[in-house]
Amino acid sequence: MTTESPTLEEIAAAGTRRQKDAERLKHSSEALKGLVLAALRDGEHRPTDVTKASGWTAAHVRKMARDAGIESDERYRERAERLRKTSDRPASSAEKSA
């Protein structure tokens, strides 16, 4: 079974398709980013639900939000600070023996 080498025209056509796909991806990503940021600003949906619906990671959505000037909810910051303080404290003797 022999396979023919691709022609330059086939390679050029594939390159054109790839470029069009990249442009479509860029436009759809920009549209999705706009929707995600609008939803985060509106506050109607929980950020975790917006993130899940977008298909992006939480870290990516957080970075986009911060870059757009959207800060985290004050309650979240307080909770994160409490958790940091709890994890920074040394373990008690009861916790060490467990």
Side-chain angles (χ1 to χ4, degrees), residues 85-98:
K85 286 179 182 177
T86 302
S87 67
D88 289 344
R89 71 173 175 79
S92 68
S93 58
E95 292 172 329
K96 288 180 184 175
S97 64

Side-chain angles (χ1 to χ4, degrees), residues 37-87:
L37 294 176
L40 293 174
R41 281 188 188 101
D42 292 345
E44 187 174 329
H45 304 289
R46 295 181 334 161
T48 53
D49 294 336
V50 172
T51 298
K52 188 174 184 178
S54 75
W56 282 328
T57 65
H60 184 69
V61 171
R62 248 189 327 274
K63 181 176 182 346
M64 284 190 318
R66 299 309 170 263
D67 289 348
I70 302 170
E71 292 300 321
S72 61
D73 186 300
E74 187 62 35
R75 293 170 298 175
Y76 173 79
R77 276 187 264 169
E78 291 169 0
R79 179 178 165 265
E81 186 60 34
R82 279 195 314 272
L83 290 172
R84 265 189 233 105
K85 286 179 182 177
T86 302
S87 67

Side-chain angles (χ1 to χ4, degrees), residues 3-17:
T3 58
E4 291 184 32
S5 183
T7 66
L8 291 178
E9 291 79 18
E10 290 171 325
I11 295 169
T16 300
R17 282 192 306 272

